[in-house]
Amino acid sequence: MEKEFDLETLAVRAGYNQTEEQENSEAIFPTSSFRYNSAQQAADRFSGAEKGNVYSRFSNPTVRAFENRLAALEGGDECVATASGMSAILSTFMSLCESGDHVISSSSIFGTTKVLFNKYLKKFGLEVTFVSQTDIGEWEKAVKPNTKAFFLESPSNPLTQIADIAALSTLAKRSGAILIVDNCFCTPILQQPLALGADIIIHSATKFLDGQGRGIGGAVVGSKALVGEEVRGFLRTAGPSMSPFNAWIFLKGLETLSVRMEAHCQRAMTLAVWLDEHPAVEKVFYPGLKSHPQYDLAQKQQKAAGGLVTFRVKGGRAEAWSVIDNTKMISITANLGDVKTSITHPATTTHCRVPEDERLATGITDNLLRISVGLESIEDLKADLARGLDKLV
Ligand SMILES: *Cc1c(COP(=O)(O)O)cnc(C)c1O
């Protein structure tokens, strides 16, 4: 189906085999196990001699439909769905790396991923060097003989820095390392890292893939060898699996992904321009603004600039908090990628566990606010933010 249809069509139709009931909307299979016609068939399924379902920790029709559809959208051979975005990252490193391996990661990654590296994977002998999201020279200098993987997110959260995925893929290949990209913020609608040379894609399905904040889930996409064999082998054994019900939510979420992303990006662009002109705003971080340091790269690498807008208000934490507390409609929550717009103070929420000096060095100052722009009216969004911002001038 992948070669024949465009991305928008794949998002609506790829990956599902209709049952004999001829349902038009995909069915949910909430079952832990599957039955066999005979002892022989049971033996054949367990040995792998016959293809088919065995046990929902590693094979379920609803989960498979979500996996097939996301693989089609990312242009990957295989996708493995996981219980959360974090377990997608854990499963990838547990299956592809071993004690003594070295990983180079952008320092501008999701805070919890940093904790996973620094606190847990380190205990198993994985060494991680953090480098600048945007300075390829730093990545090059960090390469060692035992470097196994490069890891990044682009755009970064919350400062929307853009990594040059194609250039880092070239460096990774030259260094004998694989490139792992967390594509949570762009989704395959805006950016397809495999086509830019990445080897593995990570998703938190919790965010834009669902799009309505209903469940926790994740996914890993890549080749048959790396994902189909290695990552699936880990999932099968260790069990951070996605439930059929959540898979169904995400599968239906994918159907509206392209129109949602387009609408998120349009509103985010309008809001970024408006914030940029507001006298109480010190600086706006949005890859769609010409003032963004990687504006040209974002134009080349992404179809649109994304749904997250970050900005600094004039003042400090008190001023930033007063913008949050003067909203009436926008959700005060750290979640993102939802049709409901959310506002977050990264320094005291998503990045509160990052030591202060490190947090400030990476630009997450006390006057910084992050907005995940939803699908409400842009005029209502501006009015809700203006209530607090206007008081600061
Ligand atoms: C939220 C998030 C994750 C973790 O996903 P969960 O589904 O919450 O486990 C990983 N990476 C990025 C970029 C995220 O925003």
Side-chain angles (χ1 to χ4, degrees), residues 69-140:
R69 192 168 288 177
L70 185 58
L73 292 176
E74 286 287 8
D77 295 335
E78 294 261 351
C79 170
V80 170
T82 56
S84 65
M86 288 320 301
S87 60
I89 300 172
L90 176 70
S91 302
T92 301
F93 283 98
M94 289 299 277
S95 54
L96 301 181
C97 289
E98 58 186 54
S99 175
D101 282 346
H102 175 239
V103 173
I104 307 174
S105 169
S106 162
S107 58
S108 309
I109 55 168
F110 187 55
T112 312
T113 310
K114 252 188 195 167
V115 178
L116 181 68
F117 282 141
N118 285 336
K119 186 163 178 197
Y120 296 102
L121 290 171
K122 197 175 167 183
K123 286 206 289 192
F124 296 92
L126 197 73
E127 185 199 351
V128 183
T129 306
F130 292 98
V131 295
S132 155
Q133 168 97 341
T134 53
D135 181 353
I136 299 223
E138 278 194 28
W139 293 75
E140 200 160 8

Side-chain angles (χ1 to χ4, degrees), residues 240-319:
S241 322
M242 179 180 281
S243 82
F245 185 72
N246 279 9
W248 181 79
I249 289 175
F250 301 136
L251 181 66
K252 302 305 279 182
L254 290 179
E255 293 178 358
T256 56
L257 184 62
S258 76
V259 287
R260 281 189 287 108
M261 291 314 289
E262 202 176 301
H264 282 298
C265 293
Q266 268 172 7
R267 283 163 176 74
M269 184 72 213
T270 308
L271 199 68
V273 170
W274 177 80
L275 284 167
D276 205 32
E277 288 167 355
H278 197 286
V281 172
E282 185 183 291
K283 187 173 169 57
V284 179
F285 303 85
Y286 187 65
L289 294 179
K290 289 220 170 71
S291 58
H292 190 285
Q294 293 97 38
Y295 172 80
D296 292 329
L297 177 59
Q299 292 287 309
K300 194 173 78 177
Q301 188 165 278
Q302 300 177 201
K303 266 195 214 125
L308 271 81
V309 180
T310 301
F311 62 102
R312 291 199 179 116
V313 296
K314 288 183 180 151
R317 177 171 129 173
E319 286 72 16

Side-chain angles (χ1 to χ4, degrees), residues 83-89 109-110 112-113 151 153 155 157 182-185 202-207 215-218 335-336 370:
S84 65
M86 288 320 301
S87 60
I89 300 172
I109 55 168
F110 187 55
T112 312
T113 310
F151 183 87
E153 297 162 12
N157 175 24
D182 182 332
N183 203 25
C184 168
F185 295 111
I202 302 283
H203 272 289
S204 168
T206 315
K207 314 291 169 55
I216 303 280
N335 192 31
L336 59 93
R370 186 198 75 193

Side-chain angles (χ1 to χ4, degrees), residues 2 7 10-16 62-82 88 183 187-189 191-192 194 201-206 208-210 217-222 242 250-251 253-255 257:
E2 283 87 293
L7 213 57
L10 294 174
V12 175
R13 294 186 177 270
Y16 183 71
T62 319
V63 178
R64 194 177 320 118
F66 166 70
E67 291 172 338
N68 290 346
R69 192 168 288 177
L70 185 58
L73 292 176
E74 286 287 8
D77 295 335
E78 294 261 351
C79 170
V80 170
T82 56
N183 203 25
T187 82
I189 301 300
Q191 163 177 291
Q192 292 176 300
L194 294 178
I201 307 299
I202 302 283
H203 272 289
S204 168
T206 315
F208 288 104
L209 301 191
D210 172 16
V220 186
V221 187
M242 179 180 281
F250 301 136
L251 181 66
L254 290 179
E255 293 178 358
L257 184 62

